[in-house]
Amino acid sequence: MTELWKTGVFVAVALALTGAAVITTRDRVTRNEAFNDQGQPFFPEFKDPLLCTDLEVVDFDPSTATASRFRVMFKDNTWVIPSHYDYPADARDRLSKTAAAVMDLTKDSIRSDNGDDQEAMGVIDPLDAKVSALKGRGKRITLRDASEKVLAEFVIGDEVKDRSGQRYVRVPGQKRIYGVAVKAEPSTRFADWIETNLLKVDAAKLRKIEFDNYKVNLEQGYQKGEVLDVDRKDSAAPWTMPGLAAGQEVNPDKMKAVTDALADLKIVGVRLKPAGLTRDLKKSDQKGITLTAPTVASLQGKGFYMTKDGQLLSNQGDVRVYTDEGVVYTLRFGEVTFGAGDELEVGERDDAEKKKDEPKKKDGATAENRYVMVTVSFDPTLIPEPRVEEAKPSVPVGQLPADVLAPDPKDPKTIAAEEVAKKKAEMEKAEYEKKIADGKKRAKELTDRFASWYYVTPGASFRSINLDRAALVRPKQVPAPPGGAAGFPGFPGGGEMPTFPDGAGGLPQVHP
């Protein structure tokens, strides 16, 4: 029995060792399979960046413990930003480039399979409500196609300290954390996705600017102001103003600041107009705006007012800008608004517009900005018509002109000259008609673009554009004569007579 018992023990131990070996081998195989995804693409089926029609970025602000969403999507044949009232995403190429960069991301290195490392590596899902930690939350990026199928999804975290150019990346719902060379991190800034230049006007094309300095508010009503017209013949000509006194001129420095501000007027926020107001503003004459309670309330809330006959007025008057393309911009400046982040970009929403999954991003910093409405019209008189050949001056009686003999209509030179003149006139007419057509088209495009929106622009731009006579007019500057400053020519320092060593002043003494 003793020998049999010993034999049984040996067999049991052998079986146990064999089982352990099998388990160890299986664990090694499993571990090898688990780590063999290094260097592989995250989403191998995502091969066409043009399939992406929806990009969403979720960021987390630990100071307010809120997650903010930014989304760009293709809707009704237009790229829009849903969080900003479906404002057009003019920088649509950014989406395809971002999609292409995300599509190529690979699992460059495996950093951890430990869930406890997520906070330290900054890859906690910003939408994960089960995690209480405020720090260590990354940026979640989701790309979808037209059917809302997820093409790719990541949580991008902190930089990998020992791998230059890599960021910690995790796929939502998975524990593994990778080191990845992130080529393009999608921006959540509204300004990065839109055309921020409001007017897109070339300063060299500006020919006339009218400053209508009236004021309107609910307490004092309408206060009439001076209307100032400043114009120039071309981009190289000086600005002039009718009615200036002999010793006055338009301040060229101020006008340079005005034209620069108009050419670079930035959009820092948008607000959606009521549908009825948008519809009326898209009319060709832009007159007869329908007076409804929502329209009046919306306008007055931004510093704009309507007269009984349907004309628009604004808190800080109007500035009308005329271009050599026939396009006329009317800028109406409304109330001041303060804020930063989402508060500045989209303002306060009505309760019906607020979404639980889109909390408002707050920022302690504020800046002075101002509401502005822009309308556009077309004025064909701004485009010069083709010049008609002037008639030759009459010849005094008894005096014959040098070309007294009429040209022979059959002369080849005469025929060629007439043909050249005819073609020139036809080309000039065609060019004029094209400018008229292009100007009308441009005005219509801009009208459709501006009709739906109140814009928020920097307060500094308003102060550079909305000027009165005191700012625009200065005493006429007398240019210094050549060879020296104003005064006695040729002497340094101006007109004082130099002092000579032979006396207190004047010319030197003459000795016989």
Side-chain angles (χ1 to χ4, degrees):
M1 292 295 293
T2 302
E3 292 298 326
L4 181 60
W5 182 82
K6 290 181 178 179
T7 301
V9 171
F10 288 143
V11 171
V13 172
L15 289 174
L17 292 174
T18 302
V22 171
I23 293 173
T24 303
T25 303
R26 184 184 304 155
D27 182 62
R28 187 187 308 115
V29 173
T30 303
R31 213 167 32 241
N32 288 339
E33 290 177 353
F35 279 84
N36 67 5
D37 66 343
Q38 183 166 310
Q40 299 298 315
F42 279 91
F43 295 89
E45 295 181 359
F46 181 27
K47 298 180 180 179
D48 185 0
L50 297 180
L51 291 176
C52 179
T53 59
D54 188 339
L55 168 68
E56 183 179 39
V57 183
V58 182
D59 210 349
F60 190 83
D61 184 356
S63 65
T64 58
T66 56
S68 60
R69 292 177 181 266
F70 187 87
R71 193 175 183 183
V72 181
M73 64 184 300
F74 194 66
K75 182 179 179 181
D76 298 329
N77 295 318
T78 305
W79 290 101
V80 298
I81 304 172
S83 60
H84 291 62
Y85 312 103
D86 285 350
Y87 190 81
D90 299 298
R92 58 181 63 89
D93 290 344
R94 177 184 287 269
L95 181 58
S96 59
K97 291 179 181 178
T98 300
V102 170
M103 180 184 70
D104 292 336
L105 292 183
T106 58
K107 304 170 182 178
D108 297 329
S109 61
I110 297 172
R111 309 303 298 187
S112 176
D113 276 326
N114 189 347
D116 294 337
D117 291 335
Q118 291 183 16
E119 180 177 349
M121 295 181 177
V123 290
I124 297 176
D125 190 341
L127 297 177
D128 192 343
K130 298 178 181 179
V131 180
S132 60
L134 298 180
K135 296 182 179 180
R137 292 181 180 262
K139 183 182 292 185
R140 180 168 176 159
I141 301 167
T142 305
L143 282 71
R144 302 181 182 89
D145 63 12
S147 66
E148 297 191 358
K149 174 186 174 183
V150 174
L151 300 173
E153 194 165 34
F154 308 91
V155 176
I156 298 179
D158 300 335
E159 294 183 358
V160 179
K161 296 180 179 179
D162 60 347
R163 296 290 180 93
S164 177
Q166 287 193 1
R167 303 286 290 272
Y168 292 113
V169 174
R170 183 174 67 87
V171 176
Q174 298 181 13
K175 289 185 177 181
R176 177 158 297 167
I177 304 170
Y178 301 90
V180 178
V182 178
K183 301 175 182 177
E185 188 173 347
S187 172
T188 59
R189 295 181 65 249
F190 175 58
D192 288 340
W193 291 94
I194 68 167
E195 170 55 69
T196 57
N197 190 319
L198 176 56
L199 304 181
K200 294 196 295 185
V201 63
D202 184 351
K205 295 182 178 296
L206 303 183
R207 292 294 174 268
K208 178 181 176 182
I209 303 177
E210 288 182 354
F211 302 87
D212 193 346
N213 291 296
Y214 70 86
K215 299 286 188 293
V216 178
N217 59 56
L218 292 177
E219 290 75 22
Q220 299 179 352
Y222 177 82
Q223 302 173 46
K224 186 177 181 180
E226 187 177 18
V227 180
L228 304 171
D229 291 348
V230 183
D231 58 15
R232 62 181 177 181
K233 293 181 179 180
D234 53 56
S235 60
W239 291 95
T240 61
M241 182 190 298
L244 286 183
Q248 295 180 327
E249 67 179 358
V250 175
N251 189 329
D253 297 332
K254 288 292 185 181
M255 288 306 300
K256 177 68 164 54
V258 170
T259 56
D260 287 348
L262 289 169
D264 193 34
L265 186 56
K266 296 297 185 186
I267 300 172
V268 296
V270 293
R271 309 288 188 271
L272 190 63
K273 292 174 184 171
L277 177 58
T278 296
R279 182 184 61 251
D280 290 343
L281 290 173
K282 286 186 177 182
K283 295 177 181 178
S284 58
D285 56 3
Q286 297 180 348
K287 295 181 180 180
I289 294 174
T290 306
L291 287 169
T292 64
T295 293
V296 172
S298 175
L299 287 167
Q300 290 185 0
K302 310 294 186 300
F304 306 106
Y305 307 91
M306 292 181 63
T307 63
K308 293 181 179 180
D309 60 354
Q311 300 302 304
L312 273 172
L313 298 175
S314 51
N315 184 270
Q316 295 294 321
D318 303 343
V319 175
R320 290 178 285 275
V321 181
Y322 299 76
T323 73
D324 63 2
E325 297 173 314
V327 176
V328 182
Y329 300 81
T330 299
L331 281 67
R332 296 178 172 88
F333 290 99
E335 288 284 0
V336 171
T337 180
F338 295 90
D342 287 352
E343 184 180 6
L344 175 63
E345 294 173 2
V346 297
E348 292 284 354
R349 294 174 178 266
D350 296 334
D351 290 340
E353 293 177 317
K354 291 181 179 179
K355 298 182 180 179
K356 294 181 180 179
D357 59 347
E358 293 183 359
K360 186 178 73 171
K361 180 180 179 182
K362 295 183 178 180
D363 194 314
T366 58
E368 177 191 341
N369 302 279
R370 192 172 290 271
Y371 291 110
V372 61
M373 283 183 62
V374 184
T375 55
V376 175
S377 60
F378 178 71
D379 184 355
T381 62
L382 294 168
I383 301 177
E385 296 187 34
R387 290 185 299 176
V388 179
E389 191 70 27
E390 297 181 359
K392 295 181 180 180
S394 58
V395 180
V397 177
Q399 182 178 344
L400 295 178
D403 55 345
V404 64
L405 299 178
D408 184 357
K410 296 181 180 181
D411 187 343
K413 293 183 179 180
T414 301
I415 296 174
E418 291 176 348
E419 187 65 26
V420 169
K422 180 181 178 181
K423 287 183 178 180
K424 181 181 178 182
E426 290 176 348
M427 289 176 60
E428 290 178 347
K429 181 181 179 181
E431 183 179 357
Y432 171 75
E433 292 175 346
K434 185 178 185 303
K435 288 181 178 179
I436 293 291
D438 290 346
K440 289 181 178 179
K441 180 182 178 182
R442 174 72 171 157
K444 178 64 169 60
E445 291 173 348
L446 291 170
T447 293
D448 291 343
R449 177 188 172 201
F450 297 142
S452 299
W453 309 99
Y454 302 108
Y455 295 95
V456 182
T457 58
S461 298
F462 162 74
R463 290 188 291 274
S464 294
I465 295 171
N466 192 272
L467 303 182
D468 57 12
R469 178 179 289 271
L472 288 169
V473 178
R474 73 178 186 183
K476 185 173 289 186
Q477 306 295 301
V478 179
F488 213 110
F491 288 123
E496 293 187 4
M497 184 72 74
T499 300
F500 295 90
D502 296 80
L507 297 175
Q509 297 180 5
V510 178
H511 297 281

